[in-house]
Amino acid sequence: MKIQGSIGHYRDAQVQALAIAIFKDEKPDEGFLKELDELTGGVVKSVIDAEELKGKEGETAYFHLLGDKGIQASRLLLIGVGERDSYAALQIAQLAGTAVRYLRGKGIKSVAIAPRAEDDAEKVASNTVEGAIMGLFEPDKYRTVDKEKRQIEELVVVLPGAEEGAAARGTERGRIVGEAVNFTRDLANEPGAYMTPTNMADRARDIANEFGLSVDVLDEARMEQEGMGSLLSVSHGSEEPAKLIVLKYTPADAAPAEGQELLSFVGKGVTFDSGGISLKPGESMELMKYDMTGGATVMGAMRAIAQLKPAIPVLGVAPCTENLPSGKATKPGDVVRAMNGKTIEVINTDAEGRLILADAIAYAKKLGATRVIDLATLTGAVSVALGDVNTAILGTDQDLIDEVIEAGKDVGEKFWQLPLDPEYTKQIKSDIADIKNVGGRKAGTITAAAFLKEFADGLSWAHLDIAGTAWADDAKPYRAKGPTGIAVRTLINIVERSARARSTPSVKE
């Protein structure tokens, strides 16, 4: 798709269709809407006066502009975005997603979007392009009939008064970020037979080769040497060998690594989760192909970071395995030893994500990580607690937790902090080993985090449980059903914010 940021007037966009944001309760005979109404021969006022469009989020009104109108486009799509005071990154991205999905359905190939946001032009351009690219994703990769073949070929973001460089930078960043999100969604959508740990490792190597990351993939022999008995205990039941993917971005002018802070993302990569010996119910088990979304999110974020080239190094770690039952599978009651020496009583083999993350976090620390954000489709309990609106966040460093929450707000992704009091750790104490991998029915999301905390000693650490937000059961006007790509944009934003914060002292000097 050809993408450009226009700094001219919306009326001059030479495209088939123009999509424009409309705020709640705007008056058609005042300001912008008055101008738009005059340019379109009165169609805007007519639809608002008839109360067919009130500007509520997601409302649409579509027109054919016949005759000699004052707008170059022959189609006009008005999209409600809600209150002007609450119009931010989330609403801009949803506007763009709604626009491209609606107009693609009409066979439109070239689209201009006027987001009408008063924020920084570069940020507005990026949010718009991100939303549009994300909106075009479909989960129908393997469909051979009734497949959506129509595509938007050209996208113009209308930013009147913007500086040309800001518009160009914003659209390019939006392309990189939007494609990274869809890359993650594509991985998460793959059937387990097509996205094994080996397949994920191959995709990681492809990213590294294309965008200039360093890559290392530990096989099971190397994991054995590192003492990763916790991770390997999950892979025992599968014929597919486990892989530990390590991607690293290093700035071209990086300072010596000794004593330097290193941010690391660690993502759960269970490419299919049957529950192991503690077998899951059959209903909806097919969705367990997305249990590797945490690892896919790390890979998607690293793909974008390599292109955006921030001034700080970033480490990405994705432990990948299947969790299947067999004669070789780990059994409830078994005791395994993690890389850091702690022994774990496996009470439930379906609580496997924390077992692989334990060794991955310890390995990230060995590689020099000082700040770790792990993310995983970890617990069903988080969906009960927070639904599909907020992602749970817990951790040991309140500054890092606050940083994640703020970075999420900045891109329109919501995180809600849950407590991690010492009392919760008592629930995972084992009679036979140091700890056990489940803490009972109470506070399941919190006790899972309490387990991971045992392996984050000495680190600034935050944990994101994305089980409730990584998969959408229903389509929205701005997004297809299926994988959402949650947290990719937040992780990228954290890196960019950290890079800016690091450069601030030198600027002041």
Side-chain angles (χ1 to χ4, degrees), residues 244-386:
L244 181 66
I245 299 167
V246 180
L247 292 166
K248 189 172 183 183
Y249 164 77
T250 304
D253 56 349
E258 187 174 349
Q260 187 180 33
E261 187 177 82
L262 177 59
L263 174 63
S264 178
F265 303 137
V266 179
K268 171 186 173 184
V270 177
T271 58
F272 188 81
D273 180 20
S274 71
I277 296 298
S278 305
L279 193 67
K280 292 178 181 290
E283 184 178 359
S284 299
M285 193 192 287
E286 72 277 4
L287 293 180
M288 287 300 97
K289 66 181 183 179
Y290 92 103
D291 211 21
M292 36 64 71
T293 300
T297 302
V298 169
M299 290 169 60
M302 294 300 294
R303 183 185 195 271
I305 289 163
Q307 297 174 76
L308 295 170
K309 302 186 185 307
I312 62 170
V314 185
L315 181 69
V317 180
C320 302
T321 180
E322 292 182 336
N323 184 28
L324 297 176
S326 76
K328 296 180 180 180
T330 296
K331 300 174 287 295
D334 284 353
V335 173
V336 301
R337 186 180 299 273
M339 180 181 171
N340 69 349
K342 289 191 176 180
T343 55
I344 305 163
E345 181 184 10
V346 179
I347 301 296
N348 188 323
T349 63
D350 194 24
E352 84 298 332
R354 64 203 73 181
L355 294 175
I356 71 172
L357 287 172
D359 281 337
I361 291 170
Y363 192 66
K365 182 179 178 180
K366 179 180 178 178
L367 295 179
T370 57
R371 296 200 300 160
V372 171
I373 300 171
D374 81 73
L375 58 160
T377 49
L378 204 63
T379 67
V382 76
S383 297
V384 177
L386 299 177

Side-chain angles (χ1 to χ4, degrees), residues 215-227:
V215 61
D216 186 24
V217 178
L218 279 69
D219 60 14
E220 291 190 342
R222 288 180 63 191
M223 285 185 256
E224 189 75 41
Q225 291 174 356
E226 293 288 347

